[in-house]
Amino acid sequence: MEVCLCLCSISRSSSITKFGTSPILIELLLSLMCFTHTDAYDVLDPNGNITVKWDVKSWTPDGYVAIITIYNFQKYRHIQAPGWQLSWTWAKKEVIWSAVGSQATEQGDCSRFKGNIPHCCKRDPTIVDLFPGTPYNHQIANCCKGGVISSWIQDPEKAVSAFQLSVGQAGTSNKSVRLPKNFTLKAPGPGYTCGPAMKGKPTKFLTPDGRRFTQALMTWNVTCTYSQFQAQTAPSCCVSLSSFYNDTIINCPTCTCGCQNSITHPGTCIEPDSPYLASALRISEKNDYKPLVRCTKHMCPIRVHWHVKTNYKAYWRVKITITNFNYRMNYSQWNLVVQHPNFENLTQIFSFNYAPLVPYGPINDTAMFWGIKYYNDLLMQGGPYGNVQSEILLRKDKSKFTFEKGWAFPHKVYFNGDNCVMPPPDVYPYLPNASGHSGLILLHCLATILISLILLHNL
């Protein structure tokens, strides 16, 4: 990134000197050239990635049996329902004889085979995970979770998924096997870019008795990185704001995630008291993840509300509420990432788990929150139970703390890795007067005097 900026600045100065009549055009071209280098960079998790490891465990008469493991090394970005999809292109004319812990979405044309028919004959197969409850003889370790994989910080033991393939017409030695190419990962939609398969050091496996290591006959790795630019998704969440010192509630911007349009797009939302709600949910029971949201001005499936609740002498308190307006989606293993300059003085969290995200050493301004297991780690579908909430207590830093100019509100908010749309700063709740802390103290004093007068009057 620094190299790009340096080259751009040098090029601009020399080009403008040479072509003084068109500096704006040159500036635009150089900006576009430099922009492409940052497309796949996550500033909150610069080293995060998903690694696909392919371990050949044994040879068969016409190929091999392999264990494919998907590791999520991303700190806060997880894979939610409907889960991951992994695809690639075979280097030769390989087929998948059988799959354990997964299945190919299409069988393809297997008409050339007589007798035993392969599980998949496509040259570019797409593999998906099986659901919980799969019979044990179709399972292996770390499979069958519906494609859901936890983030690394939330639960490292669940940040992995695996399946087994028996591959035929593939070669039966390290020299004859060719690595697949053109790997694509959807988790569950676009956004991940996968590099080429690279041979690595053979993986070692510990036997069940814990006394012996076996070794893969051949291992290769594929690294996939996420890019918000590559995903190009529409907003899926928004932020609303309020405070104890102002009665105004700043709602999510209108039409953040879409607009109500019953004429051109009927059925895009539904009222909570609609008689058609139950039938709409019944129709969509079979793994339909297309959002059916409550009719709101913002039309987002998720709203995050930040309320500045209380001001103490040395501390201040915030209440965070996450509301699900999507009637078709339960968010398991949800997480929330918030940026605020006072998080280095975060003192207590009451109902969420917490971990700091500190990719740049001493800068501690980003917090990751997620639910407590068996308590609020599942954000229920839209309705009376479709919300989770917590309060946080922060110690005041006298050199930075203020309620003025919207300082008490977050800079950025992410829900399940998606950037939530904030209200514009000029509409943030403001102090009742410009005197800052003195105004708040005066307000408390007046309230105290008024209460005292009422009590004296009642004696």
Side-chain angles (χ1 to χ4, degrees):
M1 180 65 176
E2 294 176 359
V3 174
C4 175
L5 292 173
C6 182
L7 289 173
C8 288
S9 61
I10 295 172
S11 300
R12 286 170 185 155
S13 60
S14 60
S15 299
I16 292 172
T17 303
K18 186 175 180 181
F19 303 102
T21 57
S22 57
I24 296 177
L25 178 59
I26 296 169
E27 186 87 10
L28 177 60
L29 291 173
L30 289 170
S31 298
L32 292 173
M33 290 170 62
C34 293
F35 178 74
T36 58
H37 293 283
T38 62
D39 289 351
Y41 183 73
D42 187 345
V43 294
L44 299 181
D45 189 12
N47 299 315
N49 69 78
I50 291 180
T51 297
V52 180
K53 177 174 284 192
W54 196 299
D55 292 307
V56 175
K57 293 294 296 291
S58 62
W59 302 115
T60 61
D62 69 337
Y64 59 84
V65 175
I67 300 291
I68 295 90
T69 310
I70 303 173
Y71 296 96
N72 185 10
F73 294 121
Q74 298 175 113
K75 289 182 178 179
Y76 69 94
R77 202 178 297 280
H78 73 283
I79 300 176
Q80 63 186 16
W84 55 262
Q85 292 185 10
L86 183 65
S87 59
W88 61 84
T89 302
W90 292 117
K92 299 191 291 185
K93 294 183 179 180
E94 293 92 335
V95 296
I96 300 174
W97 282 114
S98 63
V100 182
S102 68
Q103 64 182 0
T105 57
E106 294 184 53
Q107 184 182 35
D109 183 8
C110 296
S111 59
R112 71 182 187 271
F113 291 91
K114 309 298 179 183
N116 291 334
I117 305 299
H119 175 76
C120 177
C121 299
K122 286 181 67 68
R123 190 159 185 263
D124 54 347
T126 297
I127 305 297
V128 295
D129 196 11
L130 299 180
F131 288 103
T134 298
Y136 288 114
N137 60 334
H138 291 158
Q139 293 188 30
I140 67 166
N142 295 314
C143 84
C144 311
K145 296 179 285 187
V148 175
I149 304 180
S150 175
S151 66
W152 189 256
I153 285 182
Q154 282 178 264
D155 193 341
E157 291 185 359
K158 293 184 178 180
V160 59
S161 184
F163 58 94
Q164 177 180 295
L165 297 180
S166 178
V167 182
Q169 299 186 358
T172 56
S173 70
N174 290 23
K175 294 182 179 180
S176 59
V177 169
R178 296 290 179 265
L179 276 58
K181 50 190 177 180
N182 301 330
F183 278 84
T184 301
L185 176 68
K186 292 184 178 181
Y192 286 89
T193 301
C194 298
M198 305 290 290
K199 288 185 179 180
K201 186 177 180 180
T203 305
K204 292 184 177 182
F205 300 91
L206 185 64
T207 56
D209 62 6
R211 303 176 65 186
R212 169 180 162 82
F213 282 96
T214 60
Q215 183 170 300
L217 305 174
M218 191 176 181
T219 295
W220 58 83
N221 301 306
V222 178
T223 302
C224 303
T225 55
Y226 183 84
S227 167
Q228 191 75 41
F229 179 80
Q230 182 78 14
Q232 294 181 338
T233 55
S236 60
C237 56
C238 63
V239 180
S240 58
L241 308 169
S242 63
S243 65
F244 72 90
Y245 54 77
N246 193 311
D247 293 335
T248 304
I249 297 177
I250 306 304
N251 293 312
C252 293
T254 302
C255 293
T256 299
C257 302
C259 296
Q260 298 184 36
N261 194 334
S262 58
I263 299 176
T264 59
H265 294 85
T268 53
C269 70
I270 193 166
E271 297 290 351
D273 56 353
S274 170
Y276 304 105
L277 178 58
S279 60
L281 293 177
R282 207 160 38 242
I283 293 171
S284 65
E285 281 180 354
K286 293 187 177 181
N287 301 326
D288 185 357
Y289 294 98
K290 184 179 179 181
L292 177 64
V293 300
R294 175 180 172 180
C295 293
T296 60
K297 290 184 177 180
H298 56 77
M299 290 292 288
C300 289
I302 295 292
R303 182 191 67 192
V304 180
H305 186 75
W306 178 280
H307 175 65
V308 180
K309 185 176 180 179
T310 313
N311 181 37
Y312 305 107
K313 182 177 180 180
Y315 299 89
W316 61 296
R317 183 187 291 252
V318 172
K319 182 177 181 179
I320 301 172
T321 305
I322 307 171
T323 304
N324 184 6
F325 292 100
N326 187 355
Y327 289 110
R328 287 180 179 163
M329 186 71 170
N330 293 325
Y331 292 90
S332 61
Q333 301 178 25
W334 62 267
N335 67 60
L336 186 74
V337 174
V338 184
Q339 286 186 302
H340 192 282
N342 205 186
F343 276 142
E344 60 184 357
N345 296 316
L346 184 58
T347 304
Q348 189 172 0
I349 304 95
F350 293 92
S351 302
F352 290 166
N353 286 311
Y354 157 78
L357 294 181
V358 284
Y360 306 106
I363 303 175
N364 183 10
D365 64 351
T366 307
M368 176 177 170
F369 303 102
W370 67 97
I372 297 172
K373 194 171 184 178
Y374 305 125
Y375 176 60
N376 58 2
D377 60 333
L378 177 65
L379 176 56
M380 297 293 290
Q381 65 189 38
Y385 303 105
N387 68 86
V388 291
Q389 55 188 351
S390 179
E391 295 187 5
I392 59 176
L393 189 68
L394 303 104
R395 180 171 50 83
K396 294 179 180 178
D397 184 341
K398 294 182 179 180
S399 63
K400 299 178 182 178
F401 179 82
T402 178
F403 283 128
E404 295 180 355
K405 299 179 181 180
W407 185 88
F409 300 106
H411 293 176
K412 283 189 176 182
V413 176
Y414 302 81
F415 178 80
N416 280 357
D418 292 334
N419 193 357
C420 300
V421 177
M422 299 281 297
D426 58 343
V427 302
Y428 283 10
Y430 56 86
L431 288 168
N433 55 55
S435 59
H437 296 293
S438 59
L440 288 174
I441 294 171
L442 178 61
L443 187 64
H444 285 303
C445 291
L446 290 174
T448 303
I449 293 171
L450 181 61
I451 292 171
S452 300
L453 290 174
I454 292 172
L455 293 173
L456 287 172
H457 182 268
N458 291 335
L459 290 176

